[in-house]
Amino acid sequence: MESLIAAAICLLIAVYGAFRAVIEKETLARLPFVNVMNFGIAGAIVLILPHPLTLVAAAAYFIGSTLEANAIASAYAKRGGT
């Protein structure tokens, strides 16, 4: 039961991050909310699926999505965006 409450909290955090990323007007201001969403999704993956390999899957998802967000920020900064 405790893990379901924790998973629900993680999913609420992910939904909040997704909502804020959608409504934010500045591109660079969106990226922290995308990372918050990634934290929530990775946490929910670990808490919902009761298998030892889910930790590996969540870590791979989080690392990949963080690298993606960093690549977007780097490309945007090189282009001269604000």
Side-chain angles (χ1 to χ4, degrees), residues 25-72:
K25 299 206 185 313
E26 292 185 32
T27 302
L28 289 179
R30 288 180 184 176
L31 296 177
F33 295 114
V34 172
N35 279 335
V36 167
M37 182 185 65
N38 292 333
F39 275 121
I41 291 172
I45 288 172
V46 171
L47 292 169
I48 291 174
L49 301 173
H51 193 275
L53 288 179
T54 58
L55 182 60
V56 174
Y61 171 81
F62 181 72
I63 291 168
S65 60
T66 301
L67 290 175
E68 178 185 9
N70 289 341
I72 292 169

